[in-house]
Amino acid sequence: MDLQLDRHSLSVCRHRAEVRLDDKHFIDYRYNMDLADIVLFRTIVSVGSLSAAARQLGTTPMLVSRRLAGLEAELGVRLFHRTTRSLSLTPEGEAFSPHAVALIEARDSALESVSIAGSGLSGVLKITAPNVIGHSVVVPVVADLIADNPALRVDLTLSDGVIDIATAGLDVAVRVAVMKPSDMIATSLADNPFTLCASPGYVARCGAPTTSGDLVAHSCIKLHAMDTWPFMRDGEIHRVRVNGALSASTVDAVRTACIAGVGIAYLTYWDVHKLVERGELQRIVLADVKPLEIGIWAVFPTRTQMPARVRAFIDALRERLHAGAVDHANDA
């Protein structure tokens, strides 16, 4: 009986001793990084300063600095060059950054995998898209997702420029481009061929070109940095240099000027198809060339696990674009 009591007492003492020990002592692993510190690191990279990261995270610059120092001590490297006026990644920080993104995405994916069935999509979905497609296609898709998923938040940046999505901390970029899947971490969403168009008023006043050579005699509305318009001829790209009274920095400005009768525009199907359907613009077909075929793509920062909210957005966007592509096929 005494032996049994002694064994029981020894077991209780051992259990109590184990409870007092930090669980990390039982994990034979080199690092014990806190994912909160990884998120902090990525926030600093995204916003560019400790004070801005503190404001975004709702804490103090002192605490941000302390947690960053702890992460650097854990890794045994310096992640940032820090001065009173500037902050930049060290080579080690540059190397660590994509892995930090992967860790955060894996955490989010794991949490979503066990919660999505009961509560829907959650977290913050960060997207960038061109202005026109953003307004006409992406915003309606996002609105439907938010309506169906009350816990989902969306941060949408509309820009006709190319944003570095990894540096900006974005989940996905919607881009209109000539691209192969091997060029970037990307997936094709829909075709988006160029369309030559003008307002009925312009055509009535100036006529319509019938060949690519006729374009030099017309007022062509150019996007900045697009002095030539690319067409296809005999399987190769044929570039035509164009001129006109107006050039603009955004697709929306070119489109508005075209509707107003300023000249001929060379935009993509998704930029103008509704206007063509309504008769505000009309397509111009050239006999010697065909419009260049480009596409709409979703571009991602890493090849690692894609959170459920990103997958849901891509699926919904592709479905909406394909519905529009059917309309385009019927119009052609």
Side-chain angles (χ1 to χ4, degrees), residues 69-208:
L71 178 60
E72 290 178 324
E74 181 72 41
L75 294 172
V77 297
R78 196 168 184 82
L79 297 172
F80 292 96
H81 295 299
R82 298 194 284 278
T83 69
T84 55
R85 294 187 177 184
S86 67
L87 183 77
S88 61
L89 285 169
T90 63
E92 291 79 10
E94 294 275 5
F96 180 65
S97 187
H99 298 291
V101 172
L103 286 169
I104 295 168
E105 289 179 349
R107 185 274 313 268
D108 291 347
S109 181
L111 292 176
E112 288 175 355
S113 69
V114 296
S115 65
I116 188 170
S119 59
L121 302 170
S122 62
V124 180
L125 174 62
K126 297 183 178 181
I127 310 164
T128 182
N131 276 289
V132 173
I133 288 178
H135 284 290
S136 63
V137 184
V138 175
V139 169
V141 168
V142 164
D144 289 343
L145 286 176
I146 291 173
D148 294 337
N149 302 277
L152 180 66
R153 298 291 178 267
V154 177
D155 184 333
L156 175 60
T157 300
L158 297 182
S159 172
D160 290 332
V162 177
I163 297 175
D164 185 332
I165 57 177
T167 301
L170 299 172
D171 294 308
V172 58
V174 179
R175 290 186 179 160
V176 177
V178 177
M179 191 184 297
K180 300 188 296 292
S182 59
D183 290 341
M184 299 186 73
I185 308 168
T187 184
S188 176
L189 298 175
D191 294 332
N192 191 29
F194 272 107
T195 301
L196 197 66
C197 57
S199 70
Y202 177 87
V203 173
R205 187 173 71 252
C206 303

Side-chain angles (χ1 to χ4, degrees), residues 30-46:
R30 182 179 175 186
Y31 299 115
N32 290 301
M33 289 180 289
D34 190 331
L35 269 173
D37 293 340
I38 307 299
V39 173
L40 179 143
F41 166 75
R42 281 299 309 164
T43 303
I44 296 170
V45 173
S46 178

Side-chain angles (χ1 to χ4, degrees), residues 6-76:
D6 288 344
R7 286 175 177 173
H8 174 71
S9 299
L10 181 60
S11 176
V12 170
C13 291
R14 183 183 297 116
H15 173 71
R16 289 174 178 171
E18 289 174 352
V19 168
R20 287 195 300 269
L21 289 174
D22 190 327
D23 287 343
K24 291 180 180 180
H25 289 286
F26 294 97
I27 300 175
D28 184 18
Y29 193 68
R30 182 179 175 186
Y31 299 115
N32 290 301
M33 289 180 289
D34 190 331
L35 269 173
D37 293 340
I38 307 299
V39 173
L40 179 143
F41 166 75
R42 281 299 309 164
T43 303
I44 296 170
V45 173
S46 178
V47 300
S49 74
L50 300 187
S51 57
R55 287 192 297 271
Q56 183 163 321
L57 295 171
T59 185
T60 65
M62 182 179 295
L63 182 58
V64 168
S65 180
R66 187 182 306 154
R67 295 299 295 264
L68 175 60
L71 178 60
E72 290 178 324
E74 181 72 41
L75 294 172

